Amino acid sequence: EIIAELPKVVGAMDACGYGLGGVYFANDHSPKVWRHPLPQHLVRRLVSSDNPHGDITNSDFEQAAMVVQLDNIANSYDVRGATISNLTDNTPTLTRHFKGSTTTSGPAAYLCQISSLHQRYHRYCSEVSFINGVENVMADDASRLQHLTDTEFLHHFNSVYPQERPW
């Protein structure tokens, strides 16, 4: 749980004003893709140039995507003692996960606590690395294509990102 080994699962996740999404891969298993739209009451609180007084940042949504990604992985596989490696294009998510804390209160601190408790409960080692945003295309599509039906969404992934096993 403390020392990373060769990852059992590798993935990437993303968040935007539409929703959260991610992909992950494990040997001898079909690749997994997930997405979840953000509730409008949270989107309205997102800090932006149109809403400078919001109290939730995009980095908070990105960090939430990390927690959801880890939970999806832990519910898909037995990860006890395993290393899980994820990629993010958001440096605050990377540093918050690495440190396990933040200097502010609010959503970021709460998500750090949830992430740490989740890791301890499921007994895995979690690694996070940075990926350039332009290279995080699968996770970007998963977070942004909330307008597609599930069938359209899976067709998109099977067409644009074909794998040996279907998504």
Side-chain angles (χ1 to χ4, degrees):
E1 295 170 39
I2 297 172
I3 298 173
E5 297 176 347
L6 189 64
K8 179 176 182 176
V9 183
V10 176
M13 67 274 142
D14 190 60
C16 67
Y18 304 115
L20 314 176
V23 298
Y24 52 96
F25 305 85
N27 285 340
D28 301 322
H29 295 280
S30 293
K32 307 264 188 196
V33 58
W34 64 272
R35 64 184 175 153
H36 189 77
L38 287 170
Q40 284 304 302
H41 73 278
L42 293 180
V43 173
R44 286 191 292 272
R45 295 172 55 188
L46 179 62
V47 176
S48 67
S49 56
D50 295 336
N51 186 26
H53 301 292
D55 62 343
I56 298 177
T57 67
N58 184 65
S59 294
D60 295 332
F61 286 151
E62 294 265 4
Q63 187 179 4
M66 168 72 74
V67 173
V68 173
Q69 173 93 336
L70 290 168
D71 194 52
N72 284 339
I73 292 169
N75 283 295
S76 296
Y77 312 111
D78 179 6
V79 294
R80 288 173 295 179
T83 296
I84 300 171
S85 183
N86 277 297
L87 301 168
T88 181
D89 60 6
N90 183 267
T91 53
T93 295
L94 178 70
T95 57
R96 291 171 188 172
H97 190 79
F98 179 73
K99 290 179 8 182
S101 66
T102 181
T103 57
T104 62
S105 60
Y110 178 73
L111 289 164
C112 282
Q113 180 183 24
I114 293 297
S115 182
S116 295
L117 291 170
H118 188 273
Q119 183 175 350
R120 183 67 191 130
Y121 178 80
H122 290 284
R123 304 183 61 93
Y124 57 83
C125 178
S126 179
E127 295 182 317
V128 182
S129 299
F130 183 79
I131 185 172
N132 288 318
V134 297
E135 296 168 350
N136 200 21
V137 293
M138 286 189 275
D140 285 349
D141 278 359
S143 68
R144 288 172 172 73
L145 298 177
Q146 302 293 330
H147 63 283
L148 297 178
T149 66
D150 289 345
T151 302
E152 293 168 336
F153 181 70
L154 287 175
H155 176 74
H156 171 79
F157 265 78
N158 283 317
S159 299
V160 178
Y161 311 113
Q163 304 293 314
E164 288 182 13
R165 296 179 183 197
W167 291 92

